Amino acid sequence: EIVLTQSPTTMAASPGEKVTLTCRASSSVSYMHWYQQRSGTSPKLWIYETSKLASGVPNRFSGSGSGTSYSLTINSMETEDAATYYCQQGSSYPPTFGAGTKLELK
Amino acid sequence: QVQLQQSGAELVKPGSSVKISCKASGYTFTSYDMHWIKQQPGNGLEWIGWIYPGNGNTKYNQKFNGKATLTADKSSSTAYMQLSSLTSEDSAVYFCARLVHGRGGSGYFDYWGQGVMVTVSS
């Protein structure tokens, strides 16, 4: 199975700061998908097919990457962005998730 | 609007079984795979398996073979997951999620249930 490694595990950002989360795959995948999960709630689709924003996601978010290296970027951190973000690959069975990056507000 | 409504929290004894449900609405239930995903406290997400309600086909993560059994009732648009021979390792939140087959065959989960907390304790 494809292992996804996210970094950092935890980070804190100040309002207005640019944030980049990374996800590396143990083998090449065609696309990466990202989910946001706030405490006590279910994950929400955030970015799909590497760079497409899910409905309602603010355009300060963006996604990029190819092959084994992908990233999620927040152009300017806002309070509501504090959450855990998971990457997921669906190119190869079984679908796998990264362990998540917990993003906190500084 | 698409909704996946899961059943309530369960407290069950070691060695027993539990069956949790996921009622779908707002779309054609038989046209999308339904997947199940496990999340242990403070941990990440682990894929369990899927069922295609249109024909009942299933596929499981090898790790959950014999542990999880997926079924679906087309008449009520409800998917079920039964977990058997429960141990403390099965204590977790279980989500159902609808899969979209995206570009290049890369599937992603566009809608999730609210999750069911299963606690295994004597």
Side-chain angles (χ1 to χ4, degrees):
Chain A
E1 79 178 38
I2 294 179
V3 175
L4 302 181
T5 303
Q6 290 189 243
S7 59
T9 302
T10 307
M11 71 171 294
S14 303
E17 187 176 342
K18 185 174 182 177
V19 172
T20 298
L21 314 181
T22 66
C23 178
R24 286 193 164 75
S26 59
S27 299
S28 182
V29 298
S30 51
Y31 296 96
M32 192 64 72
H33 317 294
W34 296 84
Y35 301 84
Q36 181 197 68
Q37 185 178 34
R38 294 200 175 100
S39 183
T41 68
S42 55
K44 288 183 183 174
L45 179 66
W46 213 245
I47 294 174
Y48 63 100
E49 294 173 359
T50 301
S51 59
K52 297 176 182 177
L53 301 186
S55 177
V57 174
N59 61 13
R60 61 180 177 273
F61 284 85
S62 63
S64 64
S66 65
T68 61
S69 184
Y70 293 83
S71 62
L72 178 158
T73 299
I74 307 172
N75 204 39
S76 177
M77 175 77 178
E78 295 200 8
T79 305
E80 65 187 29
D81 301 336
T84 300
Y85 293 85
Y86 295 95
C87 57
Q88 175 250 322
Q89 67 81 23
S91 303
S92 166
Y93 260 84
T96 50
F97 295 87
T101 291
K102 185 174 184 180
L103 176 61
E104 298 172 329
L105 191 66
K106 196 184 289 182
Chain B
Q1 70 285 22
V2 174
Q3 286 190 325
L4 301 177
Q5 183 65 38
Q6 296 188 244
S7 47
E10 299 273 2
L11 172 60
V12 292
K13 294 194 183 318
S16 68
S17 298
V18 68
K19 191 172 186 177
I20 60 181
S21 66
C22 171
K23 183 171 175 58
S25 61
Y27 72 98
T28 303
F29 179 62
T30 51
S31 297
Y32 289 82
D33 304 339
M34 187 70 78
H35 291 240
W36 292 84
I37 293 148
K38 177 182 180 180
Q39 185 170 40
Q40 286 180 297
N43 282 8
L45 302 160
E46 191 172 20
W47 179 76
I48 296 170
W50 62 256
I51 184 166
Y52 183 64
N55 58 18
N57 281 356
T58 56
K59 186 164 186 168
Y60 297 91
N61 183 331
Q62 265 195 314
K63 178 179 176 181
F64 292 92
N65 264 327
K67 170 64 66 178
T69 302
L70 305 182
T71 56
D73 177 4
K74 289 190 278 190
S75 68
S76 63
S77 298
T78 303
Y80 298 92
M81 177 172 69
Q82 179 163 316
L83 300 168
S84 60
S85 304
L86 292 165
T87 72
S88 59
E89 283 302 303
D90 298 315
S91 292
V93 176
Y94 293 89
F95 297 100
C96 59
R98 189 180 83 162
L99 182 94
V100 172
H101 292 280
R103 290 175 62 190
S106 181
Y108 56 90
F109 305 103
D110 63 343
Y111 288 94
W112 296 62
Q114 80 275 23
V116 175
M117 178 166 288
V118 174
T119 304
V120 182
S121 174
S122 54

